[in-house]
């Protein structure tokens, strides 16, 4: 019984603590036929402090930039990662930060907004991001998991974003540890009584 509960707890902590190198979520505002999709990009590459995300893009039904954060500017070109080892998806809403200064490890940036004329908002959106070392030093290159492209300076990532949950915050690791500890204490007392 103890092994079973230990395994369950390990799975809970592994699932709760897992984050990709880049995480993307979005919120939706508007009405049918006029939705604004606001993307938030999180750079989790804290072991590579010089890796700044400088290009981000999504694939939606329309190309309609409604917002750009910081030094990110809309690109007039679509993008595909097919020639770099990624998917053949065409990303038609792409932002670039030529200053390499807005999305360092441990930070999140929102305000990548696209307006779409769909009747229903998307349930998920394909995205990509490229990061690069601000130092240009190959020793600062990303060597972690999840990149479809890696060289001595740049790393490329792709994924699928889902709408951010509203009003339901994710539990903190401290709350999970406290809950697991309480559960173990309760189970131990029940076991002793029987």
């Amino acid at each position: 019984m103890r092994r079973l509960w230990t395994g369950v707890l390990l799975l809970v902590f592994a699932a709760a603590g897992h984050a990709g190198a880049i995480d993307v979520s979005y919120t939706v505002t508007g009405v049918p036929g006029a939705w604004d999709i606001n993307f938030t990009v999180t750079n989790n590459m804290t072991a590579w402090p010089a890796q700044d995300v400088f290009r981000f893009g999504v694939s939606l039904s329309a190309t309609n930039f409604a917002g750009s954060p910081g030094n990110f500017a809309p690109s007039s070109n679509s993008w595909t990662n097919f020639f770099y080892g990624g998917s053949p998806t065409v990303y038609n809403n792409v932002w670039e930060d030529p200053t390499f200064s807005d999305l360092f490890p441990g930070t999140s940036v929102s305000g990548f907004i696209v307006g779409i004329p769909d009747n229903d908002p998307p349930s998920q959106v394909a995205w990509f991001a490229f990061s690069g070392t601000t130092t240009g030093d190959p020793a600062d290159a990303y060597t972690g998991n999840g990149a479809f492209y890696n060289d001595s300076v740049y790393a490329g990532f792709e994924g699928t974003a889902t709408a951010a949950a509203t009003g339901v915050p994710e539990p903190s690791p401290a709350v999970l540890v406290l809950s697991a500890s309480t559960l173990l204490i309760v189970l131990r007392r029940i076991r002793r009584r029987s």
Side-chain angles (χ1 to χ4, degrees), residues 2-29:
R2 179 183 291 176
R3 287 185 183 151
L4 173 66
W5 283 108
T6 302
V8 169
L9 292 174
L10 288 174
L11 284 174
V12 167
F13 289 127
H18 175 70
I22 307 292
D23 285 331
V24 178
S25 63
Y26 62 89
T27 57
V28 178
T29 56

Side-chain angles (χ1 to χ4, degrees), residues 151-179:
D151 69 12
S152 61
V153 176
Y154 301 107
F157 305 89
E158 287 184 300
T160 304
T162 55
T166 54
V168 182
E170 185 176 318
S172 72
V175 169
L176 290 173
V177 169
L178 182 62
S179 298

Side-chain angles (χ1 to χ4, degrees), residues 57-59 78-79 81 87 89-94 126-128 158:
V58 295
S59 180
S78 293
W79 182 270
N81 294 308
S87 76
T89 302
V90 175
Y91 299 95
N92 57 342
N93 294 275
V94 179
W127 62 266
F128 87 97
E158 287 184 300

Side-chain angles (χ1 to χ4, degrees), residues 42-46 104-108:
T42 302
N43 182 342
N44 295 315
M45 295 183 281
T46 54
F104 284 105
T107 63
S108 294

Side-chain angles (χ1 to χ4, degrees), residues 15 21 27 35 37 57 60 63 105 123 127 129 133 138 140 148 163 177 187:
T27 57
W35 298 110
I37 315 300
L60 286 166
T63 301
S123 60
W127 62 266
T133 62
D140 293 331
F148 67 84
V177 169
L187 289 173

